[in-house]
Each structure stands twice: as C-alpha cells, then as structure tokens.
Amino acid sequence: MKIIAVGRNYAEHIHELQNERPTTPVVFCKPDTALLKDNAPFYLPDFSQDVHHELEIVLKICKEGKNIDAKFANKYYDEIGLGIDFTARDLQNELKAKGLPWEIAKAFNGSAPVSNFVPITEFPDLRNLSFDLLVNGNLRQHGNTSMMLFDFDTIIAYVSKFFTLKKGDLIFTGTPKGVKAVHIGDRLEGFIDGRKFFDFEVK
Ligand code: MG
C-alpha cells in the first residue's frame, strides 16, 4: 500500500506557514514504514528539534483506478479515518529554502499514525465533517471539511492522474491551522464529529 498526502489544502494553514495558495493540490507520498496503527506511541526522531502535528482526515481507497473522473471519485473510497501527518518542520524549511524535495521531513518512520477506519455511510455529510485534536486535553487544532480548497473527489481525480490508486491505499487530505511542535510525554487525542478516533502518546 502507499500513502498519498495533500499539502496546503486549508487556507488558514497556508497563511500560518506563509505559503502560496496552490492552484492544483500539492501532493507528496509516504512509504508504508511511515504508518503507525492501533494508538501505538510516536517516537520523536533525533534529527529534528521541531516535529509538528498536522491533523488530517484520511480516505481509504476501496478499488483500483487511475485517471478517475471527479464525478465517479466517490466510488473509490468507502471508509475514512483520522491521522497525523508528522512533519519535521526545521528540516522541511531547510530543504524548501534550497529548493530540494522535503521527503525526509515528511515521510520518516512513524510519521503517519492513523486511526481505525469507519464506513462513510456513518457520516451524514462528508463535506461538513468537524475534526479536532486535543494535546494534553487542550484543543490544539479544529477543522471542518467545508473549508478545504480541494474536496475529496477533486483530490482523488487529481492524484489518480499520476498514481494508480489501489485498494488499501490511504490519502491524507490536508491540515487546518494550529500546527505546532510535539514533545515527549504529550498525549494526542483525535475526534471526528465529537467521536474519538485516536489516542496516543509521544515518547
Ligand atoms: Mg499535512
């Protein structure tokens, strides 16, 4: 399986990192070794002093497809979950400044914790999902899918032009504002529409 992620998909987050607003989705990949499941702890890597959480809704692909038309994109995912796109911000900024790919700042071991996945039929409106991150019990990030620049179907149509999607692939759909560094001992709890999806610790 592969993990595809979209960057700069919420306007206020683009603003907080002083990035340009994209005209097409900004896309990158993480290998399967980035995956963390079942509330396993996240171990802070030693190559960064500034690892940020980015809370994101994650789509799970349910059938193979490429060059998918946005009209039919909703047939290609049947479950959603919640994940963190951990980002070594100091390293990413260095690489960005040099015009180099940010792969190692985004795709390192354990950089993609994901919750269990739930059928989309359990949510009344995917374009109005509210999601929250608590760090040590305090609200740190709040988002709503109505604020996405590129919606789920547009993302699927776009990324499938370049990457054939396969059953089991995951797509991280971007983070709202509020990204910040995590520290050893932090407890991260994620919610969609008030329902708890993950609860894990930083070690
Ligand atoms: Mg992200």
Side-chain angles (χ1 to χ4, degrees), residues 5-9 13 28 30 53-56 84-87 89 102 106 172-176 179:
V6 175
R8 303 181 195 173
N9 202 22
H13 171 63
F28 57 94
K30 300 192 185 219
H53 54 71
E54 294 190 358
L55 180 72
E56 311 199 3
I84 299 277
D85 165 23
F86 275 121
T87 304
R89 194 73 68 202
W102 357 291
K106 280 283 194 184
F172 279 63
T173 58
T175 195
V179 302

Side-chain angles (χ1 to χ4, degrees), residues 44-104:
L44 265 185
D46 60 6
F47 50 74
S48 172
Q49 307 311 313
D50 195 27
V51 175
H52 283 193
H53 54 71
E54 294 190 358
L55 180 72
E56 311 199 3
I57 300 278
V58 183
L59 310 178
K60 191 182 232 181
I61 297 300
C62 60
K63 70 173 180 176
E64 186 167 321
K66 60 179 169 181
N67 296 314
I68 298 163
D69 194 307
K71 285 201 294 283
F72 306 114
N74 64 349
K75 306 281 182 236
Y76 289 82
Y77 59 98
D78 60 358
E79 292 183 322
I80 61 166
L82 195 59
I84 299 277
D85 165 23
F86 275 121
T87 304
R89 194 73 68 202
D90 44 0
L91 200 49
Q92 186 194 29
N93 286 341
E94 269 174 46
L95 294 162
K96 268 163 78 175
K98 292 180 189 159
L100 294 171
W102 357 291
E103 217 76 7
I104 57 172

